[in-house]
Amino acid sequence: MSSSRENFQGGVFHASIPGGRAGANVSIVRGELIADTSGEPTQRFSIPLSQCKLDLGGATGRMVFCRTSDGSLTIFSEDKSFAKELDFQSGGVLAGQLSTLKKGQRAESNRFGFWLAVSAVACAALLVAGYYGVLSAAKVAMRALPVSVDEKIGTMAFNSMEVGRKLDANHPASKLVQEIVDKLKPHAKLPDMKFKVSVVEGSEVNAFALPGGQIVVYTGLIKEAKSAEQIAGVLAHEMSHATLRHGIERVGQSLGVVAAIQLLIGDVGGLLALGAQVAQTSILTSYSRTSETEADLEGVRMLHAAKIDPKAMADFFEMLKQKMGDLPDAVAWISTHPQHETRVENIQNHQKKLPEVQYEPLQLDLKTAQDAL
Ligand SMILES: [Zn+2]
């Protein structure tokens, strides 16, 4: 056996120490484990290695304890090389005990690894659930906002968009569109919504709604329409996006967590600023399939209630679909309303469920409006 090679940071448990415990400088000298306490005055304790009852413990499970057989004195260290040094200095006396401890430690660390993996999976699941939870909470929270928020976001969006030149309110096309909106408005789901329609110069067969009731109709769409009822169909669909608050829902979805937090802290101003950022993207005018179907069906309900034949809505979609090839600009509306295969059928089926009513043709001069464009 060699003399002490190393000192280890450690400690002692003994009744003679005030508090029963003290930090100590631990060393192994000629087969004896020696601990010199770090307090003043320093006390020396020793255990012959041959009498060590070894044990593992501490917060990390890596602390090595050497106890006397009666348990009255314990010397310990957490130093990584302490166990190795004990093995070396004891000349094999402690080898059996040490290997038993190691096996136990491996099992312990395997268990630890297992629980770590389980915890990681659980955390990941919670995070994912939390994320979607916050998203759906954001959706619900957005819907709980007053419609005035929709109006503000819609106005900001409209002002930040480059939509082309707006036709004068006295233009026959503007008047025609306004008259249709006025006819549909009393049947809107949110009767207090202030619809603002702008007819904008542009060859694309397009129309869109912004949150709060801002609606934009391109002159291209008016030119392509075969009847005022077809325009009414598109307008009813767009008005429904506004009354069903699809835009604000989109804002909630895309801002998600940030929006939810701002709502939680009641920062509607910050939310509006964020909404304006979103407004500058196309997010506000491209809705989910579910929203499109909802807008179709709500649009049919509005048309029906206004005694306008909802068949015109389906006809218009059908016409656009067929024209897509030779009318590249028609793609605009179709591209934001992609599921036209099933939608015509859906509209027709939905119409069949409504009580029978005598539809009244719109007394509007589409020809004059078109000729003025
Ligand atoms: Zn739509």
Side-chain angles (χ1 to χ4, degrees):
M1 281 185 228
S2 65
S3 60
S4 176
R5 203 167 51 81
E6 263 186 279
N7 292 317
F8 303 99
Q9 281 297 316
V12 192
F13 293 122
H14 194 259
S16 70
I17 304 168
R21 176 192 172 132
N25 178 46
V26 178
S27 56
I28 304 167
V29 183
R30 283 182 286 280
E32 275 202 82
L33 186 60
I34 294 168
D36 293 306
T37 62
S38 43
E40 282 293 332
T42 183
Q43 284 175 274
R44 171 168 282 208
F45 297 91
S46 69
I47 306 170
L49 290 180
S50 58
Q51 288 172 30
C52 260
K53 297 277 171 284
L54 292 180
D55 204 356
L56 284 174
T60 58
R62 292 180 189 282
M63 203 173 264
V64 180
F65 297 93
C66 165
R67 286 195 179 94
T68 53
S69 51
D70 62 357
S72 62
L73 173 64
T74 304
I75 298 173
F76 63 90
S77 174
E78 205 173 6
D79 197 293
K80 275 182 200 139
S81 47
F82 184 54
K84 208 191 263 177
E85 190 67 8
L86 280 174
D87 194 14
F88 178 70
Q89 296 282 353
S90 70
V93 173
L94 295 174
Q97 285 198 64
L98 283 165
S99 78
T100 310
L101 287 183
K102 261 187 201 161
K103 273 181 213 155
Q105 195 178 33
R106 251 200 307 278
E108 188 64 42
S109 77
N110 285 344
R111 257 199 306 281
F112 180 69
F114 171 73
W115 282 110
L116 192 70
V118 168
S119 310
V121 170
C123 276
L126 272 176
L127 273 175
V128 170
Y131 180 69
Y132 284 105
V134 167
L135 276 193
S136 66
K139 204 163 143 178
V140 171
M142 294 306 275
R143 281 186 186 261
L145 287 172
V147 179
S148 61
V149 175
D150 297 39
E151 284 170 15
K152 281 180 189 136
I153 290 178
T155 305
M156 277 192 289
F158 184 73
N159 292 339
S160 68
M161 280 173 150
E162 285 179 27
V163 287
R165 203 177 72 85
K166 193 181 156 177
L167 291 194
D168 193 272
N170 291 321
H171 191 285
S174 300
K175 278 188 174 164
L176 176 107
V177 168
Q178 188 61 54
E179 276 184 71
I180 298 173
V181 170
D182 289 344
K183 206 164 161 50
L184 288 169
K185 197 176 150 2
H187 309 286
K189 205 173 179 133
L190 297 176
D192 294 336
M193 186 164 268
K194 301 179 199 92
F195 292 101
K196 276 186 212 131
V197 199
S198 309
V199 178
V200 164
E201 275 180 0
S203 57
E204 53 266 58
V205 182
N206 204 5
F208 61 84
L210 290 169
Q214 291 262 8
I215 292 167
V216 173
V217 183
Y218 285 87
T219 50
L221 187 138
I222 297 169
K223 279 184 195 166
E224 281 306 315
K226 298 288 168 275
S227 66
E229 280 79 2
Q230 289 190 352
I231 299 173
V234 171
L235 286 171
H237 171 98
E238 296 302 341
M239 287 167 85
S240 300
H241 275 313
T243 56
L244 296 170
R245 307 187 73 187
H246 289 153
I248 202 87
E249 194 181 294
R250 283 293 265 150
V251 173
Q253 278 172 337
S254 49
L255 297 179
V257 178
V258 185
I261 290 166
Q262 283 190 309
L263 282 176
L264 280 175
I265 60 172
D267 180 11
V268 176
L271 190 68
L272 285 174
L274 283 170
Q277 282 175 34
V278 172
Q280 286 167 24
T281 70
S282 62
I283 282 169
L284 287 181
T285 54
S286 66
Y287 303 113
S288 68
R289 260 165 188 262
T290 313
S291 296
E292 289 305 339
T293 306
E294 274 178 22
D296 278 350
L297 301 188
E298 170 62 8
V300 168
R301 187 201 62 76
M302 278 171 74
L303 290 164
H304 184 268
K307 296 188 177 165
I308 302 168
D309 191 349
K311 190 179 173 294
M313 191 199 245
D315 288 347
F316 187 71
F317 295 147
E318 193 68 33
M319 180 204 63
L320 283 189
K321 198 178 99 189
Q322 279 159 16
K323 279 208 156 197
M324 242 168 91
D326 52 280
L327 193 73
D329 280 335
V331 178
W333 207 76
I334 286 278
S335 65
T336 53
H337 296 80
Q339 69 281 33
H340 42 270
E341 296 296 338
T342 50
R343 79 187 314 172
V344 173
E345 229 173 280
N346 283 341
I347 292 167
Q348 287 163 348
N349 287 339
H350 192 62
Q351 191 183 353
K352 278 179 207 153
K353 284 185 220 149
L354 297 169
E356 232 171 277
V357 72
Q358 193 64 47
Y359 294 121
E360 295 166 6
L362 287 170
Q363 304 296 324
L364 296 168
D365 192 353
L366 177 63
K367 180 96 179 34
T368 306
Q370 285 173 330
D371 289 346
L373 293 174

PDB file of all heavy atoms in Angstrom, residues 207-209 234 237-238 241 246 285-288 291-293 295-296 317 333 336-339 343, ligand 1:
ATOM      1  N   ALA A 207     -63.225  39.601 -56.089  1.00  0.00           N
ATOM      2  CA  ALA A 207     -63.880  40.356 -55.023  1.00  0.00           C
ATOM      3  C   ALA A 207     -63.355  39.797 -53.719  1.00  0.00           C
ATOM      4  O   ALA A 207     -63.000  38.631 -53.654  1.00  0.00           O
ATOM      5  CB  ALA A 207     -65.391  40.185 -55.094  1.00  0.00           C
ATOM      6  N   PHE A 208     -63.245  40.643 -52.712  1.00  0.00           N
ATOM      7  CA  PHE A 208     -62.856  40.117 -51.403  1.00  0.00           C
ATOM      8  C   PHE A 208     -63.437  40.961 -50.286  1.00  0.00           C
ATOM      9  O   PHE A 208     -63.867  42.099 -50.498  1.00  0.00           O
ATOM     10  CB  PHE A 208     -61.330  39.982 -51.270  1.00  0.00           C
ATOM     11  CG  PHE A 208     -60.562  41.276 -51.394  1.00  0.00           C
ATOM     12  CD1 PHE A 208     -60.393  42.111 -50.301  1.00  0.00           C
ATOM     13  CD2 PHE A 208     -59.993  41.637 -52.619  1.00  0.00           C
ATOM     14  CE1 PHE A 208     -59.681  43.291 -50.413  1.00  0.00           C
ATOM     15  CE2 PHE A 208     -59.269  42.824 -52.729  1.00  0.00           C
ATOM     16  CZ  PHE A 208     -59.112  43.655 -51.633  1.00  0.00           C
ATOM     17  N   ALA A 209     -63.470  40.346 -49.118  1.00  0.00           N
ATOM     18  CA  ALA A 209     -63.993  41.027 -47.938  1.00  0.00           C
ATOM     19  C   ALA A 209     -62.888  41.147 -46.912  1.00  0.00           C
ATOM     20  O   ALA A 209     -62.087  40.235 -46.748  1.00  0.00           O
ATOM     21  CB  ALA A 209     -65.145  40.229 -47.351  1.00  0.00           C
ATOM     22  N   VAL A 234     -71.919  36.596 -55.260  1.00  0.00           N
ATOM     23  CA  VAL A 234     -70.542  36.855 -54.808  1.00  0.00           C
ATOM     24  C   VAL A 234     -70.559  37.781 -53.589  1.00  0.00           C
ATOM     25  O   VAL A 234     -69.851  37.547 -52.594  1.00  0.00           O
ATOM     26  CB  VAL A 234     -69.695  37.469 -55.949  1.00  0.00           C
ATOM     27  CG1 VAL A 234     -68.345  37.950 -55.433  1.00  0.00           C
ATOM     28  CG2 VAL A 234     -69.496  36.458 -57.069  1.00  0.00           C
ATOM     29  N   HIS A 237     -71.617  36.017 -50.447  1.00  0.00           N
ATOM     30  CA  HIS A 237     -70.512  35.186 -49.963  1.00  0.00           C
ATOM     31  C   HIS A 237     -69.485  36.049 -49.223  1.00  0.00           C
ATOM     32  O   HIS A 237     -69.070  35.717 -48.109  1.00  0.00           O
ATOM     33  CB  HIS A 237     -69.861  34.463 -51.157  1.00  0.00           C
ATOM     34  CG  HIS A 237     -68.598  33.742 -50.819  1.00  0.00           C
ATOM     35  ND1 HIS A 237     -68.569  32.384 -50.566  1.00  0.00           N
ATOM     36  CD2 HIS A 237     -67.333  34.186 -50.693  1.00  0.00           C
ATOM     37  CE1 HIS A 237     -67.319  32.027 -50.289  1.00  0.00           C
ATOM     38  NE2 HIS A 237     -66.540  33.099 -50.371  1.00  0.00           N
ATOM     39  N   GLU A 238     -69.098  37.166 -49.814  1.00  0.00           N
ATOM     40  CA  GLU A 238     -68.083  38.032 -49.192  1.00  0.00           C
ATOM     41  C   GLU A 238     -68.602  38.681 -47.909  1.00  0.00           C
ATOM     42  O   GLU A 238     -67.878  38.798 -46.922  1.00  0.00           O
ATOM     43  CB  GLU A 238     -67.601  39.097 -50.185  1.00  0.00           C
ATOM     44  CG  GLU A 238     -66.875  38.559 -51.420  1.00  0.00           C
ATOM     45  CD  GLU A 238     -65.630  37.721 -51.092  1.00  0.00           C
ATOM     46  OE1 GLU A 238     -65.098  37.828 -49.980  1.00  0.00           O
ATOM     47  OE2 GLU A 238     -65.195  36.950 -51.972  1.00  0.00           O
ATOM     48  N   HIS A 241     -68.258  36.297 -45.089  1.00  0.00           N
ATOM     49  CA  HIS A 241     -66.910  36.217 -44.497  1.00  0.00           C
ATOM     50  C   HIS A 241     -66.792  37.262 -43.378  1.00  0.00           C
ATOM     51  O   HIS A 241     -66.210  36.998 -42.335  1.00  0.00           O
ATOM     52  CB  HIS A 241     -65.832  36.507 -45.551  1.00  0.00           C
ATOM     53  CG  HIS A 241     -65.432  35.317 -46.371  1.00  0.00           C
ATOM     54  ND1 HIS A 241     -65.137  34.094 -45.824  1.00  0.00           N
ATOM     55  CD2 HIS A 241     -65.253  35.177 -47.713  1.00  0.00           C
ATOM     56  CE1 HIS A 241     -64.794  33.244 -46.793  1.00  0.00           C
ATOM     57  NE2 HIS A 241     -64.875  33.873 -47.955  1.00  0.00           N
ATOM     58  N   HIS A 246     -64.465  35.741 -40.227  1.00  0.00           N
ATOM     59  CA  HIS A 246     -63.372  34.870 -40.657  1.00  0.00           C
ATOM     60  C   HIS A 246     -62.021  35.590 -40.655  1.00  0.00           C
ATOM     61  O   HIS A 246     -60.993  34.969 -40.398  1.00  0.00           O
ATOM     62  CB  HIS A 246     -63.657  34.317 -42.058  1.00  0.00           C
ATOM     63  CG  HIS A 246     -64.758  33.308 -42.066  1.00  0.00           C
ATOM     64  ND1 HIS A 246     -65.558  33.073 -43.159  1.00  0.00           N
ATOM     65  CD2 HIS A 246     -65.197  32.473 -41.096  1.00  0.00           C
ATOM     66  CE1 HIS A 246     -66.444  32.129 -42.863  1.00  0.00           C
ATOM     67  NE2 HIS A 246     -66.245  31.753 -41.625  1.00  0.00           N
ATOM     68  N   THR A 285     -57.442  37.821 -46.886  1.00  0.00           N
ATOM     69  CA  THR A 285     -58.361  37.574 -48.000  1.00  0.00           C
ATOM     70  C   THR A 285     -58.286  36.131 -48.496  1.00  0.00           C
ATOM     71  O   THR A 285     -58.859  35.807 -49.527  1.00  0.00           O
ATOM     72  CB  THR A 285     -58.085  38.536 -49.169  1.00  0.00           C
ATOM     73  OG1 THR A 285     -56.705  38.434 -49.518  1.00  0.00           O
ATOM     74  CG2 THR A 285     -58.405  39.962 -48.789  1.00  0.00           C
ATOM     75  N   SER A 286     -57.539  35.302 -47.797  1.00  0.00           N
ATOM     76  CA  SER A 286     -57.564  33.887 -48.165  1.00  0.00           C
ATOM     77  C   SER A 286     -57.936  33.080 -46.931  1.00  0.00           C
ATOM     78  O   SER A 286     -57.257  33.125 -45.919  1.00  0.00           O
ATOM     79  CB  SER A 286     -56.200  33.446 -48.703  1.00  0.00           C
ATOM     80  OG  SER A 286     -55.238  33.497 -47.686  1.00  0.00           O
ATOM     81  N   TYR A 287     -59.058  32.415 -47.028  1.00  0.00           N
ATOM     82  CA  TYR A 287     -59.603  31.723 -45.862  1.00  0.00           C
ATOM     83  C   TYR A 287     -59.475  30.218 -46.034  1.00  0.00           C
ATOM     84  O   TYR A 287     -59.185  29.719 -47.117  1.00  0.00           O
ATOM     85  CB  TYR A 287     -61.067  32.125 -45.671  1.00  0.00           C
ATOM     86  CG  TYR A 287     -61.260  33.615 -45.511  1.00  0.00           C
ATOM     87  CD1 TYR A 287     -61.921  34.352 -46.478  1.00  0.00           C
ATOM     88  CD2 TYR A 287     -60.761  34.279 -44.392  1.00  0.00           C
ATOM     89  CE1 TYR A 287     -62.092  35.722 -46.338  1.00  0.00           C
ATOM     90  CE2 TYR A 287     -60.925  35.648 -44.244  1.00  0.00           C
ATOM     91  CZ  TYR A 287     -61.594  36.359 -45.222  1.00  0.00           C
ATOM     92  OH  TYR A 287     -61.765  37.708 -45.087  1.00  0.00           O
ATOM     93  N   SER A 288     -59.738  29.532 -44.938  1.00  0.00           N
ATOM     94  CA  SER A 288     -59.662  28.070 -44.971  1.00  0.00           C
ATOM     95  C   SER A 288     -60.865  27.510 -45.739  1.00  0.00           C
ATOM     96  O   SER A 288     -61.853  28.202 -45.960  1.00  0.00           O
ATOM     97  CB  SER A 288     -59.664  27.533 -43.549  1.00  0.00           C
ATOM     98  OG  SER A 288     -60.930  27.771 -42.962  1.00  0.00           O
ATOM     99  N   SER A 291     -63.955  27.810 -43.770  1.00  0.00           N
ATOM    100  CA  SER A 291     -64.518  29.166 -43.805  1.00  0.00           C
ATOM    101  C   SER A 291     -65.225  29.429 -45.130  1.00  0.00           C
ATOM    102  O   SER A 291     -66.279  30.065 -45.171  1.00  0.00           O
ATOM    103  CB  SER A 291     -63.410  30.203 -43.614  1.00  0.00           C
ATOM    104  OG  SER A 291     -62.836  30.071 -42.339  1.00  0.00           O
ATOM    105  N   GLU A 292     -64.633  28.942 -46.235  1.00  0.00           N
ATOM    106  CA  GLU A 292     -65.247  29.150 -47.553  1.00  0.00           C
ATOM    107  C   GLU A 292     -66.610  28.476 -47.629  1.00  0.00           C
ATOM    108  O   GLU A 292     -67.580  29.067 -48.119  1.00  0.00           O
ATOM    109  CB  GLU A 292     -64.326  28.621 -48.663  1.00  0.00           C
ATOM    110  CG  GLU A 292     -63.069  29.456 -48.876  1.00  0.00           C
ATOM    111  CD  GLU A 292     -63.345  30.926 -49.145  1.00  0.00           C
ATOM    112  OE1 GLU A 292     -64.468  31.282 -49.554  1.00  0.00           O
ATOM    113  OE2 GLU A 292     -62.432  31.740 -48.925  1.00  0.00           O
ATOM    114  N   THR A 293     -66.668  27.234 -47.138  1.00  0.00           N
ATOM    115  CA  THR A 293     -67.941  26.521 -47.147  1.00  0.00           C
ATOM    116  C   THR A 293     -68.965  27.258 -46.289  1.00  0.00           C
ATOM    117  O   THR A 293     -70.121  27.438 -46.688  1.00  0.00           O
ATOM    118  CB  THR A 293     -67.745  25.077 -46.650  1.00  0.00           C
ATOM    119  OG1 THR A 293     -66.715  24.475 -47.441  1.00  0.00           O
ATOM    120  CG2 THR A 293     -69.016  24.260 -46.764  1.00  0.00           C
ATOM    121  N   ALA A 295     -69.047  30.422 -45.636  1.00  0.00           N
ATOM    122  CA  ALA A 295     -69.451  31.654 -46.320  1.00  0.00           C
ATOM    123  C   ALA A 295     -70.426  31.350 -47.453  1.00  0.00           C
ATOM    124  O   ALA A 295     -71.374  32.107 -47.688  1.00  0.00           O
ATOM    125  CB  ALA A 295     -68.230  32.402 -46.842  1.00  0.00           C
ATOM    126  N   ASP A 296     -70.212  30.237 -48.149  1.00  0.00           N
ATOM    127  CA  ASP A 296     -71.149  29.824 -49.199  1.00  0.00           C
ATOM    128  C   ASP A 296     -72.542  29.604 -48.614  1.00  0.00           C
ATOM    129  O   ASP A 296     -73.533  30.134 -49.127  1.00  0.00           O
ATOM    130  CB  ASP A 296     -70.689  28.508 -49.850  1.00  0.00           C
ATOM    131  CG  ASP A 296     -69.624  28.720 -50.916  1.00  0.00           C
ATOM    132  OD1 ASP A 296     -69.380  29.892 -51.280  1.00  0.00           O
ATOM    133  OD2 ASP A 296     -69.053  27.724 -51.391  1.00  0.00           O
ATOM    134  N   PHE A 317     -70.085  30.495 -60.085  1.00  0.00           N
ATOM    135  CA  PHE A 317     -68.916  29.630 -59.856  1.00  0.00           C
ATOM    136  C   PHE A 317     -68.709  28.692 -61.042  1.00  0.00           C
ATOM    137  O   PHE A 317     -67.589  28.485 -61.507  1.00  0.00           O
ATOM    138  CB  PHE A 317     -69.092  28.776 -58.585  1.00  0.00           C
ATOM    139  CG  PHE A 317     -69.137  29.578 -57.319  1.00  0.00           C
ATOM    140  CD1 PHE A 317     -69.911  29.159 -56.242  1.00  0.00           C
ATOM    141  CD2 PHE A 317     -68.387  30.732 -57.184  1.00  0.00           C
ATOM    142  CE1 PHE A 317     -69.949  29.886 -55.073  1.00  0.00           C
ATOM    143  CE2 PHE A 317     -68.424  31.476 -56.006  1.00  0.00           C
ATOM    144  CZ  PHE A 317     -69.208  31.042 -54.945  1.00  0.00           C
ATOM    145  N   TRP A 333     -60.269  34.990 -58.403  1.00  0.00           N
ATOM    146  CA  TRP A 333     -61.263  34.615 -57.404  1.00  0.00           C
ATOM    147  C   TRP A 333     -61.275  33.101 -57.187  1.00  0.00           C
ATOM    148  O   TRP A 333     -61.350  32.629 -56.073  1.00  0.00           O
ATOM    149  CB  TRP A 333     -62.673  35.090 -57.832  1.00  0.00           C
ATOM    150  CG  TRP A 333     -63.553  35.323 -56.645  1.00  0.00           C
ATOM    151  CD1 TRP A 333     -63.505  36.377 -55.802  1.00  0.00           C
ATOM    152  CD2 TRP A 333     -64.586  34.467 -56.172  1.00  0.00           C
ATOM    153  NE1 TRP A 333     -64.447  36.235 -54.819  1.00  0.00           N
ATOM    154  CE2 TRP A 333     -65.132  35.075 -55.027  1.00  0.00           C
ATOM    155  CE3 TRP A 333     -65.110  33.240 -56.598  1.00  0.00           C
ATOM    156  CZ2 TRP A 333     -66.170  34.519 -54.295  1.00  0.00           C
ATOM    157  CZ3 TRP A 333     -66.153  32.678 -55.886  1.00  0.00           C
ATOM    158  CH2 TRP A 333     -66.670  33.314 -54.744  1.00  0.00           C
ATOM    159  N   THR A 336     -58.497  31.839 -54.856  1.00  0.00           N
ATOM    160  CA  THR A 336     -58.714  31.978 -53.412  1.00  0.00           C
ATOM    161  C   THR A 336     -59.956  31.199 -52.978  1.00  0.00           C
ATOM    162  O   THR A 336     -60.260  31.124 -51.808  1.00  0.00           O
ATOM    163  CB  THR A 336     -58.870  33.460 -52.995  1.00  0.00           C
ATOM    164  OG1 THR A 336     -59.883  34.055 -53.806  1.00  0.00           O
ATOM    165  CG2 THR A 336     -57.574  34.222 -53.160  1.00  0.00           C
ATOM    166  N   HIS A 337     -60.633  30.639 -53.938  1.00  0.00           N
ATOM    167  CA  HIS A 337     -61.844  29.842 -53.652  1.00  0.00           C
ATOM    168  C   HIS A 337     -61.732  28.526 -54.396  1.00  0.00           C
ATOM    169  O   HIS A 337     -62.427  28.314 -55.379  1.00  0.00           O
ATOM    170  CB  HIS A 337     -63.097  30.608 -54.084  1.00  0.00           C
ATOM    171  CG  HIS A 337     -63.280  31.870 -53.309  1.00  0.00           C
ATOM    172  ND1 HIS A 337     -62.599  33.017 -53.599  1.00  0.00           N
ATOM    173  CD2 HIS A 337     -64.036  32.136 -52.225  1.00  0.00           C
ATOM    174  CE1 HIS A 337     -62.943  33.960 -52.728  1.00  0.00           C
ATOM    175  NE2 HIS A 337     -63.806  33.441 -51.882  1.00  0.00           N
ATOM    176  N   PRO A 338     -60.814  27.660 -53.945  1.00  0.00           N
ATOM    177  CA  PRO A 338     -60.393  26.533 -54.773  1.00  0.00           C
ATOM    178  C   PRO A 338     -61.360  25.359 -54.900  1.00  0.00           C
ATOM    179  O   PRO A 338     -61.336  24.687 -55.903  1.00  0.00           O
ATOM    180  CB  PRO A 338     -59.095  26.063 -54.095  1.00  0.00           C
ATOM    181  CG  PRO A 338     -59.095  26.682 -52.742  1.00  0.00           C
ATOM    182  CD  PRO A 338     -60.201  27.670 -52.643  1.00  0.00           C
ATOM    183  N   GLN A 339     -62.193  25.146 -53.935  1.00  0.00           N
ATOM    184  CA  GLN A 339     -62.916  23.866 -53.942  1.00  0.00           C
ATOM    185  C   GLN A 339     -64.221  23.932 -54.742  1.00  0.00           C
ATOM    186  O   GLN A 339     -65.242  23.458 -54.316  1.00  0.00           O
ATOM    187  CB  GLN A 339     -63.162  23.373 -52.515  1.00  0.00           C
ATOM    188  CG  GLN A 339     -64.144  24.180 -51.677  1.00  0.00           C
ATOM    189  CD  GLN A 339     -63.535  25.438 -51.115  1.00  0.00           C
ATOM    190  OE1 GLN A 339     -62.682  26.085 -51.709  1.00  0.00           O
ATOM    191  NE2 GLN A 339     -64.001  25.834 -49.959  1.00  0.00           N
ATOM    192  N   ARG A 343     -68.369  22.820 -54.242  1.00  0.00           N
ATOM    193  CA  ARG A 343     -69.132  23.935 -53.706  1.00  0.00           C
ATOM    194  C   ARG A 343     -70.458  24.154 -54.439  1.00  0.00           C
ATOM    195  O   ARG A 343     -71.454  24.498 -53.811  1.00  0.00           O
ATOM    196  CB  ARG A 343     -68.299  25.209 -53.672  1.00  0.00           C
ATOM    197  CG  ARG A 343     -68.174  25.921 -54.997  1.00  0.00           C
ATOM    198  CD  ARG A 343     -67.209  27.045 -54.897  1.00  0.00           C
ATOM    199  NE  ARG A 343     -67.434  27.869 -53.696  1.00  0.00           N
ATOM    200  CZ  ARG A 343     -66.606  28.827 -53.321  1.00  0.00           C
ATOM    201  NH1 ARG A 343     -65.519  29.059 -54.009  1.00  0.00           N
ATOM    202  NH2 ARG A 343     -66.861  29.552 -52.257  1.00  0.00           N
TER     203      ARG A 343
HETATM  204 ZN    ZN B   1     -64.554  33.338 -49.870  1.00  0.00          ZN
END
